[in-house]
Structure formats: structure tokens, C-alpha cells
Amino acid sequence: MLGIILTFMGSDWIEKRNTQRDVKSALHLVKAELQTNRETILGGKQRVEREIRAAQFLLRNKDSLLVVSKDSLEYYSKYAFPKLHLLLLLLMLLELMKSSALFPQIKDRQLGLSIIQAYASIKSADVLYTTYQTLKKERNDCLDAKPEVKRIYAQKLSFALLWSRLLAIDEGYDLLVQIPNMINPESFDYFIKEIDSTIQAIEKYE
């Protein structure tokens, strides 16, 4: 009888140990996905910062574009009127983990909540970035719809002449004025901090 009891106790211990092994393996994958999303969000923040600096540079030098550094003008021209850009974020592993019944097996309840919050932050960062890109595109489309803008682009002008012409158009000037006011890049720091905190908690659990 004692042997049977010990056998069942041992089986239960092995099962729990195997479950925790699976949980840790799943958390390792979640951590990798969170790290990838963190880098994507950071890249989005840095892109926004470059676009804001580009708009501010062109506005600050709008009356002296012919004499500013050609290298600077060429660099900032790449970011001044950028086309629509979206973040490619990964949101798969949390749902997979929930559906596998491993999520309730996480012994640290706070860690489970932290993971959910981290993925919520990822989604919020995506909404923030997409909203900014959409607002920018709407204003950019208004500029591109002007017949004179099509003629300007067709002329293949130097960057200095190109921006002098575009900034002389109300829609072009207004777009550059509005870009720094559409979004605060530091808003992404909160989301990145949430992800970092969750990654650290996963590492302690591992």
C-alpha cells in the first residue's frame, strides 16, 4: 500500500514538474516576442523623433534653404513628408499560451497580470503610432492633391528649391507645423517601461 501511495505521489510530482517546465518554455518564447515588440516600438519612437526634427529643421530654415548645408537638407528631406508607415507588432503568443491552459499554471499571479498588461501596452503603442501616421497621411494627401504640387515633383528640383516651393503652399507649410504637435514621442516610453518590467519578471521566474 505504501508503495502505491508513493508511486502516485511521485507521478503527481513529475506531472507538476513537467508542467512548470512547459510554462518556463512558453514564458521564454513570450519574453522573446516582448523583446521583439520592444525594439519595434522603440524604432517607431525614433522614427517619429526624426520626422519631428526634420519638420522643425525645414521650418527653422525656410527662408535660407539655398544656403544651409546640402547634406543636412538631403538627410532631413527623407523624413519631412514620409509616406504611411505602420509598426509590425507580434501578438500571437499570449493567446496561444491562454488556449494551451499553461497560463493558469504560472505560479506568480502578478507575473500573469504583468504579461497581460505588457501586451495591452503593445496594442496601445500600436494605436498611438497608427493614429499619428493616419493624421499625417491625411494632411499629406491634401498637399499631394494640389495640381501645382504634381508639377513641382515632376520638375526634379534640388532639395533647396523643392522645399522652397512646397513651403510656399499653405498645405505644405501647415503639414510641417502640425507634425510636432500630432504626437509626443515620449508617450512611447511608458509602454517600453511596461514591457521591460515584464521581461525582468519573466527572467526572475525562469
Side-chain angles (χ1 to χ4, degrees):
M1 179 66 70
L2 180 60
I4 294 173
I5 294 174
L6 290 174
T7 298
F8 275 103
M9 289 179 61
S11 298
D12 184 59
W13 178 81
I14 291 171
E15 184 177 347
K16 288 181 179 179
R17 183 174 180 181
N18 289 339
T19 299
Q20 283 306 306
R21 182 194 61 199
D22 292 341
V23 167
K24 290 180 180 180
S25 296
L27 287 175
H28 181 75
L29 294 175
V30 168
K31 182 179 77 170
E33 186 170 87
L34 290 176
Q35 289 171 328
T36 299
N37 285 326
R38 181 197 189 282
E39 294 309 308
T40 300
I41 293 170
L42 179 60
K45 175 193 174 184
Q46 292 170 341
R47 185 185 181 95
V48 170
E49 290 172 334
R50 288 192 294 268
E51 292 177 6
I52 290 174
R53 286 197 299 270
Q56 293 171 334
F57 173 84
L58 291 168
L59 288 171
R60 187 168 60 248
N61 295 284
K62 66 183 179 65
D63 296 323
S64 56
L65 291 171
L66 293 174
V67 296
V68 298
S69 165
K70 291 183 179 180
D71 289 341
S72 296
L73 193 56
E74 181 178 0
Y75 173 78
Y76 285 118
S77 291
K78 294 186 294 185
Y79 300 105
F81 286 171
K83 299 304 180 182
L84 183 66
H85 177 268
L86 301 177
L87 298 180
L88 298 177
L89 296 168
L90 305 174
L91 303 168
M92 180 175 63
L93 286 177
L94 176 61
E95 296 306 319
L96 286 177
M97 194 170 181
K98 285 181 178 178
S99 64
S100 71
L102 284 176
F103 199 79
Q105 300 303 320
I106 299 175
K107 291 183 292 185
D108 185 347
R109 298 294 92 190
Q110 187 57 45
L111 174 57
L113 294 174
S114 181
I115 291 172
I116 292 173
Q117 182 57 48
Y119 275 92
S121 292
I122 291 167
K123 292 178 181 178
S124 296
D126 186 39
V127 170
L128 178 64
Y129 190 83
T130 301
T131 300
Y132 162 69
Q133 290 291 332
T134 301
L135 290 172
K136 189 179 58 178
K137 183 179 183 299
E138 289 173 355
R139 291 184 176 273
N140 204 13
D141 288 346
C142 290
L143 174 65
D144 289 343
K146 305 284 288 186
E148 58 266 42
V149 171
K150 293 180 174 64
R151 291 194 292 270
I152 289 172
Y153 285 139
Q155 293 176 30
K156 297 181 180 179
L157 302 170
S158 67
F159 286 119
L161 288 175
L162 172 67
W163 287 110
S164 294
R165 302 279 178 84
L166 290 176
L167 286 169
I169 300 171
D170 289 343
E171 288 80 359
Y173 179 81
D174 289 343
L175 174 56
L176 290 185
V177 169
Q178 288 301 319
I179 283 177
N181 299 314
M182 290 179 183
I183 189 173
N184 180 0
E186 293 181 0
S187 300
F188 292 102
D189 292 341
Y190 170 79
F191 306 128
I192 292 173
K193 183 178 179 181
E194 284 284 335
I195 295 170
D196 285 344
S197 176
T198 302
I199 290 173
Q200 291 171 5
I202 291 174
E203 289 173 344
K204 290 180 180 178
Y205 190 91
E206 292 177 342

